[in-house]
Amino acid sequence: MQQDKLVLVDGSSYLFRAYHALPPLTNSKGFPTGAIYGVINMIKKLLEDEAASNFIVIFDAPGKTFRNDLYEEYKATRPPMPDDLRPQIEPIHNIIKAMGLPLVMINNVEADDVIGTLSKKASDKNMNVIISTGDKDMAQLVNRNISLINTMNNQRLDRDGVKLKFGVYPEQIIDYLTLIGDKSDNVPGIPGVGPKRAAALIQTYGSALDIADAMPLEGKYKYIQSTNDFGAKGIMKNYELMDLVTYCEDAVGNENVVDIDKRIRDE
């Protein structure tokens, strides 16, 4: 196993993807097991494929996060967790722990922020970091040491891969997401601006914040007006929502990752 590689698993992403990918399986007592089966098998395969001794699974903690304080409607349109998924969460957590894998959940931040924190710490120590997720937000974390893998389609994204997929580099992903918004999180983007136009705007103006400063825009982007509904203020709000936390003290010092933390914390 590679000692200088850290694998970070977006457990919350795994949970919902496994639930929706598999039929509604149950055991002999009628207890739902589809998500349990899917998540654990995905983790086992990743363990086998990556052969890393440093492996952490991160889940969202229950309750709201600081982003709800920034924007009341954040994720407000998401349906409630399905009744047959909720009881599977605790067994999944218990199995992961029984496998000897650190499991981390931190209140008031999302799993993405914990992953951002741990990946940056490891990258700063020149460790090779693999983030297993299907979440496009994570693309902002990619650098020479950090890459993404989507186990549903086995797609790997390094810096060039991010540029090829999104039309922007990892350091521009926050700007890109700020402009297009995120429907799944109920974060609206600039009306009329999709992925290709967002990439073109970033190429022209440099960043989302530069676009906010330049509003109202001129030329072929004149139709994008600074309005009460969405303008410079909307861009600034979105930028805060899309920017992942890369230093969460509770994540770095979490008791479940203390052994790995010794490898990635500042000396």
Side-chain angles (χ1 to χ4, degrees):
M1 287 191 176
Q2 293 188 39
Q3 296 293 328
D4 60 346
K5 180 163 75 171
L6 173 65
V7 176
L8 300 172
V9 178
D10 183 354
S12 295
S13 173
Y14 270 36
L15 178 69
F16 285 96
R17 301 185 91 187
Y19 175 78
H20 291 293
L22 293 170
L25 304 176
T26 60
N27 64 14
S28 60
K29 297 180 180 179
F31 187 87
T33 58
I36 299 171
Y37 175 84
V39 169
I40 299 307
N41 276 284
M42 289 165 71
I43 289 175
K44 284 182 176 179
K45 186 176 187 308
L46 188 65
L47 275 168
E48 180 180 341
D49 290 347
E50 296 302 327
S53 60
N54 304 312
F55 199 101
I56 307 175
V57 185
I58 302 97
F59 282 89
D60 289 324
K64 296 182 177 181
T65 72
F66 73 94
R67 289 185 177 85
N68 296 102
D69 296 329
L70 294 173
Y71 178 45
E72 282 187 7
E73 299 302 311
Y74 184 66
K75 295 188 177 181
T77 55
R78 286 196 179 184
M81 183 176 290
D83 291 338
D84 60 339
L85 176 57
R86 191 177 303 277
Q88 298 185 66
I89 295 176
E90 185 175 353
I92 289 172
H93 290 179
N94 289 339
I95 294 171
I96 290 170
K97 293 173 184 175
M99 292 169 67
L101 301 176
L103 186 149
V104 180
M105 295 189 297
I106 304 294
N107 291 328
N108 200 43
V109 296
E110 299 182 52
D112 297 9
D113 301 304
V114 178
I115 291 171
T117 296
L118 297 177
S119 64
K120 185 177 186 302
K121 277 289 184 185
S123 177
D124 288 349
K125 299 291 284 184
N126 255 348
M127 291 182 74
N128 178 24
V129 182
I130 307 294
I131 300 173
S132 182
T133 183
D135 192 341
K136 62 182 178 295
D137 297 3
M138 300 285 194
Q140 67 185 267
L141 301 173
V142 172
N143 62 25
R144 64 187 179 87
N145 292 325
I146 301 172
S147 59
L148 308 182
I149 180 170
N150 184 337
T151 56
M152 299 298 282
N153 57 20
N154 210 32
Q155 181 184 54
R156 290 178 181 264
L157 292 180
D158 56 10
R159 178 176 164 79
D160 290 336
V162 171
K163 178 64 163 64
L164 184 63
K165 181 172 183 176
F166 299 103
V168 297
Y169 286 108
E171 61 269 22
Q172 298 170 312
I173 285 290
I174 302 174
D175 303 293
Y176 172 85
L177 295 174
T178 293
L179 300 180
I180 68 172
D182 190 333
K183 187 175 181 180
S184 67
D185 289 342
N186 195 36
V187 178
I190 296 179
V193 175
K196 289 184 179 179
R197 193 155 289 166
L201 280 164
I202 291 167
Q203 185 174 4
T204 300
Y205 289 93
S207 74
L209 301 183
D210 290 331
I211 293 168
D213 288 340
M215 281 190 160
L217 305 182
E218 298 179 351
K220 62 181 178 179
Y221 300 121
K222 188 176 180 179
Y223 71 95
I224 301 174
Q225 298 297 318
S226 180
T227 68
N228 290 330
D229 293 324
F230 200 102
K233 288 183 179 179
I235 288 176
M236 297 293 288
K237 177 200 70 182
N238 277 14
Y239 195 91
E240 285 188 279
L241 293 171
M242 300 299 181
D243 189 10
L244 295 185
V245 171
T246 54
Y247 183 75
C248 174
E249 186 174 356
D250 289 340
V252 174
N254 185 277
E255 62 182 358
N256 290 319
V257 296
V258 64
D259 290 337
I260 295 174
D261 185 35
K262 289 177 183 177
R263 298 181 58 86
I264 63 179
R265 69 171 57 183
D266 293 333
E267 298 188 13

